[in-house]
Amino acid sequence: MTDGATHTLDVVAVGNALVDVLSHDEDVLVTKLGLQRGAMTMVDFDTAERVYAAQGPTIEVSGGSAANTTAGLASFGATAGFIGKVGADEFGRVFTHDLASLGVTFGGTARDGAGPTGRCHVIVTPDAERTMSTFLGVAGDLQPGDVDESLVTRAQVTYLEGYLFDQPAAKEAFRRAAAVAHAAGRRVGLTLSDPFCVHRHREEFLNLVERSTEVLFANEHEICALYEVDDFDAALQHVRHHTEIAALTRGKRGSVIVSGDEVHVIDAVPVERLVDTTGAGDQYAAGFLYGLTHGRDLATCGRLGSLAAAEVISHLGPRPESSLASLAAALFD
Amino acid sequence: MTDGATHTLDVVAVGNALVDVLSHDEDVLVTKLGLQRGAMTMVDFDTAERVYAAQGPTIEVSGGSAANTTAGLASFGATAGFIGKVGADEFGRVFTHDLASLGVTFGGTARDGAGPTGRCHVIVTPDAERTMSTFLGVAGDLQPGDVDESLVTRAQVTYLEGYLFDQPAAKEAFRRAAAVAHAAGRRVGLTLSDPFCVHRHREEFLNLVERSTEVLFANEHEICALYEVDDFDAALQHVRHHTEIAALTRGKRGSVIVSGDEVHVIDAVPVERLVDTTGAGDQYAAGFLYGLTHGRDLATCGRLGSLAAAEVISHLGPRPESSLASLAAALFD
């Protein structure tokens, strides 16, 4: 792959357009609702309603994993686009407003009557862990035809959210975006999103990672799930020959970046107070992709990822509240 | 007035059902939009859209002055009800969910097709001051017939939000609630809400304060506007003969409570970090009314108000995030 052609966007992301509905609740609620602690579970409307009815007071804030990453990229000063689908309702307006206010180009569509905007019910427990129940709404209706090819062609990196693999049509949209990107000589980034999602679609993910991904993001649980190993180092040895770059995150133990024979072990940036881990992986990807599209070496890309992740886990919500550009400037001083 | 009859609610509040759309933005935005800094301005739909388009990324959270007070009361452990009107849309569901999750009885109505749920665009500037632009939506359509008389009859105090005076039908609903409360031998509380609102309806407010209000809440700007005086002490001398109890707030200078010959000067509770003044008055009223409906003396009521106000200005959003019951327990230790 070459990045030689002229581009006008750093990153375009394809993902689920969601509004997060966040509450602080006790662990017992997660148990009572029968949810998988720390995971993202796709739920139907009725289950989403049951979770919502059980949540304490909530705040609503734009979310969606890949969309959060574009918000982080914008905060670093990168140019980003997003492709996804919202409904013609208030949550759809919220999602659209928040991307527009950051200068992110929204290649999504709002469809009257097609259904509601998707939402992710996030229960944040006292240990700052988040347990997510996602009702996709029209986000799950993303079709190959919804992929704005001009956006993909214009972007250095097309970044794909693994969660999309739970919807057959969205998975096709995903493959289409990758094909268009590659035809234009661009790179494709992929985040595995969730170990359970990897379990559900392991063969397809393996195929995609090995054949169509230049930049892979995964946490240790996801990468172990992909290779069906228990040990992080075993997964690392597998992945290093399968993608150009793999950025593997390990929570407070930092991240490992591997690209052929090049390996970097990057520390996490310590935080004063851990509030909510929602968006940690999304913002790590934002920092990494910002560095990558701005000519930084891989170790610096990793440090930028750690920086952005530390910012977002210090407060409630999945998108940065402070300017990541300012934080990055301090890093380079 | 007597509180001798059996009651099953401590407070029922009548107010605008709103969802707050909050952003952190620079002062220059407030100037550019031509908004009155620190005030609440009622705006039409087009102006609300203009403000929203100019705001940075937002979070959405249930608001509405009197509704915030019921949330505070619930956090203290009091029983509360709310009367207001939401639309049959997602913001309406958010508002309803959040009251229900706190155990507040919602005597409001959702009307299909009657219009959208009201929203308050709140711009929080770096000095933590908030500037509010409210598009009332169906909240402004509150009619006298919407007042749930059984709720009012059941409550020790019926608490009315001055902002309602900007809508003629809502003002009638307000008067109806007061009449029903008095007929049941209950007390009526009133907050003046905003100095500009007081200016717009001064004669009617004076009439209401002198004839129909037992517990008056106002900040120094509002009480000075009511009596057309420049000096807080002058306003104090006026009001002491006109209501049974007046609780007058003065920001970081604390509050003054006056009831006939009884006067208390209560200090503000210092905060470590002032983040967002939204909801300070609403939570002061919550603390005060909690004390009043639980047999506390007036000085203690004021201290409970200060405690609740300090909690809410320490974070973004107009409702408490910590248990006010726990904070109050520490106060009484």
Side-chain angles (χ1 to χ4, degrees):
Chain A
M1 296 297 126
T2 80
D3 286 330
T6 310
H7 66 268
T8 54
L9 279 178
D10 296 319
V11 177
V12 67
V14 185
N16 287 319
L18 302 173
V19 170
D20 286 356
V21 179
L22 289 148
S23 64
H24 284 288
D25 279 302
E26 297 301 317
D27 292 270
V28 67
L29 183 68
V30 174
T31 315
K32 207 180 77 182
L33 288 167
L35 299 173
Q36 180 84 36
R37 220 182 107 78
M40 194 291 293
T41 309
M42 291 287 180
V43 300
D44 59 16
F45 181 79
D46 289 345
T47 307
E49 291 294 285
R50 195 167 59 86
V51 172
Y52 190 31
Q55 283 185 289
T58 57
I59 70 162
E60 285 67 40
V61 58
S62 287
S65 174
N68 294 337
T69 297
T70 65
L73 282 158
S75 184
F76 274 112
T79 51
F82 177 76
I83 294 170
K85 207 175 231 173
V86 296
D89 51 23
E90 282 166 304
F91 279 2
R93 282 169 44 79
V94 163
F95 184 89
T96 307
H97 167 271
D98 290 345
L99 284 191
S101 73
L102 295 165
V104 174
T105 305
F106 183 34
T109 38
R111 296 276 168 89
D112 264 305
T117 299
R119 51 196 157 94
C120 178
H121 294 273
V122 185
I123 297 172
V124 181
T125 38
D127 60 353
E129 182 61 275
R130 84 287 181 277
T131 299
M132 306 188 287
S133 305
T134 301
F135 166 64
L136 280 179
V138 293
D141 184 42
L142 192 74
Q143 306 288 332
D146 292 318
V147 173
D148 182 330
E149 299 193 9
S150 80
L151 273 186
V152 172
T153 304
R154 283 165 56 197
Q156 276 196 68
V157 177
T158 293
Y159 176 73
L160 305 167
E161 178 186 307
Y163 287 131
L164 289 181
F165 262 52
D166 278 323
Q167 300 294 319
K171 188 158 47 183
E172 281 314 307
F174 194 110
R175 290 194 174 113
R176 168 129 199 84
V180 171
H182 284 149
R186 309 301 191 183
R187 278 162 154 172
V188 169
L190 166 69
T191 174
L192 294 183
S193 293
D194 186 274
F196 302 96
C197 184
V198 173
H199 273 301
R200 287 191 290 270
H201 310 281
R202 188 176 162 271
E203 287 305 319
E204 289 175 293
F205 268 122
L206 260 183
N207 197 288
L208 193 74
V209 167
E210 298 185 1
R211 297 195 195 173
S212 306
T213 303
E214 284 76 46
V215 191
L216 177 70
F217 294 90
N219 69 26
E220 56 190 325
H221 307 296
E222 293 154 12
I223 201 69
C224 288
L226 185 66
Y227 293 107
E228 295 188 313
V229 296
D230 292 329
D231 177 68
F232 178 73
D233 189 63
L236 179 68
Q237 303 314 321
H238 275 288
V239 78
R240 66 189 303 173
H241 304 297
H242 288 150
T243 59
E244 188 186 328
I245 302 166
L248 308 174
T249 56
R250 312 189 73 196
K252 64 186 170 195
R253 282 181 292 175
S255 62
V256 177
I257 299 150
V258 54
S259 178
D261 291 335
E262 193 181 345
V263 178
H264 302 279
V265 177
I266 307 296
D267 289 338
V269 171
V271 295
E272 210 171 295
R273 196 163 72 96
L274 177 63
V275 176
D276 169 21
T277 60
T278 314
D282 305 335
Q283 294 313 320
Y284 179 89
F288 194 94
L289 290 170
Y290 167 69
L292 196 67
T293 55
H294 287 75
R296 299 291 180 177
D297 59 48
L298 292 179
T300 304
C301 291
R303 280 196 286 271
L304 288 163
S306 294
L307 191 76
E311 194 283 340
V312 83
I313 65 178
S314 302
H315 58 75
L316 194 65
R319 297 187 179 182
E321 288 185 354
S322 307
S323 161
L324 297 179
S326 303
L327 294 176
L331 185 71
F332 295 131
D333 269 352
Chain B
M1 293 296 125
T2 81
D3 286 329
T6 309
H7 65 269
T8 54
L9 280 178
D10 295 319
V11 177
V12 66
V14 185
N16 287 320
L18 302 174
V19 170
D20 286 356
V21 179
L22 288 149
S23 64
H24 285 288
D25 280 300
E26 298 301 318
D27 292 270
V28 65
L29 184 69
V30 174
T31 314
K32 206 180 77 181
L33 289 167
L35 299 173
Q36 180 84 37
R37 221 182 106 77
M40 194 290 292
T41 308
M42 291 288 181
V43 299
D44 60 17
F45 180 78
D46 289 343
T47 306
E49 291 294 285
R50 196 167 59 86
V51 172
Y52 190 31
Q55 283 184 291
T58 57
I59 69 163
E60 285 66 42
V61 57
S62 288
S65 174
N68 293 336
T69 298
T70 65
L73 282 158
S75 184
F76 273 112
T79 51
F82 178 76
I83 294 170
K85 205 176 232 174
V86 295
D89 52 23
E90 282 166 304
F91 280 0
R93 283 168 43 80
V94 163
F95 184 90
T96 308
H97 167 271
D98 290 345
L99 284 191
S101 73
L102 296 165
V104 174
T105 305
F106 185 32
T109 40
R111 295 276 169 89
D112 265 304
T117 299
R119 53 198 158 92
C120 178
H121 293 273
V122 185
I123 296 172
V124 181
T125 38
D127 60 352
E129 181 62 275
R130 83 287 181 278
T131 300
M132 306 188 287
S133 305
T134 301
F135 166 64
L136 280 178
V138 294
D141 184 42
L142 192 74
Q143 305 288 332
D146 292 318
V147 173
D148 182 330
E149 298 192 10
S150 80
L151 273 186
V152 173
T153 304
R154 282 164 57 197
Q156 275 194 69
V157 176
T158 292
Y159 176 72
L160 305 168
E161 179 186 306
Y163 286 130
L164 289 181
F165 262 52
D166 278 323
Q167 300 294 319
K171 188 158 48 182
E172 281 314 307
F174 193 113
R175 290 193 173 115
R176 168 130 199 85
V180 171
H182 284 150
R186 308 303 190 182
R187 277 162 155 171
V188 170
L190 167 69
T191 174
L192 294 184
S193 293
D194 185 273
F196 303 95
C197 185
V198 173
H199 272 301
R200 286 191 291 270
H201 310 282
R202 187 174 163 272
E203 286 304 318
E204 289 175 294
F205 268 122
L206 260 182
N207 197 290
L208 193 74
V209 166
E210 297 184 1
R211 297 197 194 170
S212 306
T213 303
E214 283 77 46
V215 190
L216 177 70
F217 294 90
N219 70 24
E220 54 189 326
H221 307 296
E222 293 154 12
I223 201 69
C224 287
L226 185 66
Y227 293 108
E228 295 188 313
V229 295
D230 293 328
D231 177 69
F232 177 74
D233 189 63
L236 180 69
Q237 304 314 320
H238 275 288
V239 77
R240 68 189 301 173
H241 304 297
H242 288 150
T243 60
E244 188 184 327
I245 301 166
L248 308 175
T249 57
R250 311 189 73 195
K252 63 186 170 192
R253 282 183 289 177
S255 62
V256 176
I257 299 150
V258 53
S259 178
D261 292 335
E262 194 179 346
V263 178
H264 302 278
V265 177
I266 308 294
D267 288 338
V269 170
V271 295
E272 209 170 297
R273 197 164 73 95
L274 177 64
V275 176
D276 169 20
T277 58
T278 314
D282 305 336
Q283 296 311 321
Y284 179 90
F288 195 95
L289 289 170
Y290 167 69
L292 196 68
T293 56
H294 287 75
R296 300 290 181 175
D297 59 47
L298 292 180
T300 304
C301 292
R303 280 196 286 271
L304 288 163
S306 295
L307 190 76
E311 194 282 339
V312 85
I313 65 177
S314 303
H315 59 76
L316 194 66
R319 297 186 178 181
E321 288 186 354
S322 307
S323 161
L324 297 179
S326 303
L327 294 177
L331 185 74
F332 296 132
D333 267 356

